[in-house]
Each structure stands twice: as structure tokens, then as C-alpha cells.
Amino acid sequence: MIKINNLHKQFGSLKVLKGIDLSIKKGEVVVIIGPSGSGKSTLLRCLNYLEKPDTGSIQIDDLSVNVKNIEKQDINALRKSTAMVFQNYNLFKNKTALENITESLIIVKKTKKEEATQLGEKLLQQVGLSEKKDAYPSTLSGGQQQRVSIARAMALNPKVILFDEPTSALDPELVGEVLHVIRNLAKKTMSLLIVTHEMHFAKEVADRVIFMDDGNIIEEGSPENIFTYPQHERTKKFLKQIILK
């Protein structure tokens, strides 16, 4: 269970999040859509505390923090409860695919190397990259690198995985392989919060779709309600522009 209450974030005079309220159930797949600059990625980064929110509260299961009074151990706990999959993979260039997955297990979770290696190999198999375990990122395609990044996030067994436009840096022909992995992950009991511009994928994989604009949640509902019967004029305008592209 994840609960965000009245979350605000601004950069200088620019208000990026204007009081976000959002709850996510265990195992729920929530997809966030909206125009560029609407605050979608900032919301994810605030949950993982890559950006420090200004005011509000974040609750993940039994951990509840007021962001104004947060302490270092609370930030560490938030980061252990969440895992981020970035647009540009963020893999260690000097480590193999397998080492990219096992590194955080060994250092952060203090997992024994042999155990971490076994888990890493299992996860690479799940994302279809068993044969690439000894390959370095520079020798992998963008889609393969992103699949390693997803396996790395899965390895930490977080309460929620945060996907920040996971296909936006990929060539069009590589998008499908990454979306396939996320589809399979969505069938499991892990909560997923996904920012994406892939509308067909959002419609297919989401339990709930959220439309954000100008730092606010404008509308939310089932994929059918949002994509077929949107209520808010701003949502209708956005979806019409997407369809016309």
C-alpha cells in the first residue's frame, strides 16, 4: 500500500507538483500519462527521494514520513522500498550485465556473492538475456540494456518499481521487447507505477490510468474510462492530440 498526500515540489519559482494525492494498492499497476512538463517524472523521483519534495507525506506499507521532517534512515528506507527504472538505463559501464544486477544485492542488501549470482542469472533468464550475462553495456542494444535495468530493479524485491518513460530512449523497433518484459512483470504481485507515452501499452497493462497536467492530477480511472470516456476537457484535448500524431 502506497499513499501520497498533498505532495508539493518546486524548482525556484516554478511549481512542478501542486499537492498530489495518490494511493496505490499492493500489486496494482498504475500508469501516468500527460504532456511533457506536467510533473510526471518529478513525482516518481520524489517517491524515490532522488528529488526532495517540499511538503507533504509519503507512506509505503508501515513506513510513513513527513517530507519536512524526514531523517536519513527514512530516506534509506524509502529507497529500499522502491526501485527506479530510468529512461537512459543508468547501468555501470565497467560492469557486465550480471554484475550490474548483483552489485546492489551485495553492497546494499549484503547478499552473499554466490546467492546474488544465482538470483542475477535467474532474473536475466526471465528478461530473455541469459546469454548476455558476461556482456558489457556498450555491446548491448538499448532494449537489452533496459531489460538489464529492469532485472536489476526486480532483484531488490521492492514494494514498488517506478518506471520513468522506460522506452523513450529506444529506437522504435526495440520498444516491443521492453514492453513485453513489463507486461510479464505486471502479472506478478509487485506494484508498478509507470510514466509512459505509449498509449496502447498503457491501455493494455494498467489497472488504473492517471492523467497529469501542470503539476496536478486532472483525472484518473480505468483504462476504458480514461481512453474511451474521458470526462475532463483537458484529458480529451490531450488524447485527441495523441491520436492525431
Side-chain angles (χ1 to χ4, degrees):
M1 168 68 170
I2 299 157
K3 190 171 184 179
I4 304 163
N5 185 50
N6 198 28
L7 201 68
H8 289 257
K9 174 64 182 178
Q10 65 184 75
F11 298 100
S13 60
L14 179 62
K15 295 180 179 180
V16 181
L17 299 179
K18 302 177 181 178
I20 298 295
D21 294 313
L22 176 63
S23 295
I24 301 171
K25 299 174 185 175
K26 182 178 179 181
E28 189 176 19
V29 179
V30 177
V31 174
I32 305 176
I33 63 172
S36 298
S38 58
K40 307 183 300 295
S41 294
T42 299
L43 175 57
L44 294 195
R45 294 175 69 85
C46 284
L47 275 181
N48 197 244
Y49 238 77
L50 294 173
E51 296 287 356
K52 184 183 183 304
D54 298 319
T55 59
S57 64
I58 300 170
Q59 180 182 346
I60 301 179
D61 285 348
D62 296 331
L63 173 66
S64 184
V65 298
N66 183 317
V67 301
K68 271 202 164 184
N69 305 315
I70 196 166
E71 297 182 0
K72 187 174 181 180
Q73 62 263 30
D74 294 324
I75 295 174
N76 290 336
L78 275 178
R79 288 177 176 166
K80 286 181 180 179
S81 298
T82 61
M84 191 91 160
V85 176
F86 298 89
Q87 297 179 32
N88 295 311
Y89 330 131
N90 280 29
L91 298 178
F92 296 112
K93 304 298 183 186
N94 62 335
K95 296 187 180 298
T96 65
L98 181 60
E99 289 169 341
N100 264 282
I101 296 170
T102 60
E103 181 83 358
S104 56
L105 287 171
I106 295 168
I107 293 177
V108 178
K109 291 211 163 189
K110 310 300 181 186
T111 306
K112 292 181 179 178
K113 185 175 181 179
E114 183 179 350
E115 184 181 341
T117 298
Q118 289 177 349
L119 177 57
E121 290 176 342
K122 179 182 177 182
L123 291 171
L124 282 173
Q125 183 180 23
Q126 287 183 23
V127 299
L129 289 174
S130 293
E131 76 285 358
K132 297 292 186 180
K133 70 176 185 178
D134 296 321
Y136 288 89
S138 61
T139 68
L140 300 175
S141 70
Q144 290 170 335
Q145 289 186 63
Q146 191 61 292
R147 283 188 278 160
V148 173
S149 179
I150 294 170
R152 178 179 60 184
M154 293 165 62
L156 296 172
N157 194 29
K159 302 290 175 59
V160 58
I161 298 183
L162 311 170
F163 290 87
D164 185 12
E165 298 200 20
T167 62
S168 66
L170 298 178
D171 292 333
E173 65 269 22
L174 300 177
V175 169
E177 64 189 61
V178 172
L179 296 184
H180 176 73
V181 170
I182 300 174
R183 282 189 194 96
N184 288 337
L185 191 55
K187 296 174 184 176
K188 301 183 184 295
T189 58
M190 194 178 294
S191 301
L192 307 181
L193 184 56
I194 306 169
V195 169
T196 185
H197 59 274
E198 300 282 348
M199 297 298 125
H200 292 293
F201 170 70
K203 188 174 183 178
E204 174 190 345
V205 78
D207 296 312
R208 182 158 44 111
V209 176
I210 289 169
F211 174 67
M212 282 186 68
D213 186 40
D214 194 29
N216 295 293
I217 293 177
I218 304 298
E219 187 172 353
E220 62 179 290
S222 69
E224 182 180 9
N225 285 343
I226 294 298
F227 288 109
T228 308
Y229 307 108
Q231 299 300 304
H232 199 282
E233 287 303 318
R234 183 65 187 94
T235 315
K236 293 176 184 178
K237 182 179 178 182
F238 172 77
L239 291 174
K240 186 177 181 181
Q241 288 174 333
I242 291 294
I243 291 169
L244 289 175
K245 285 184 179 180

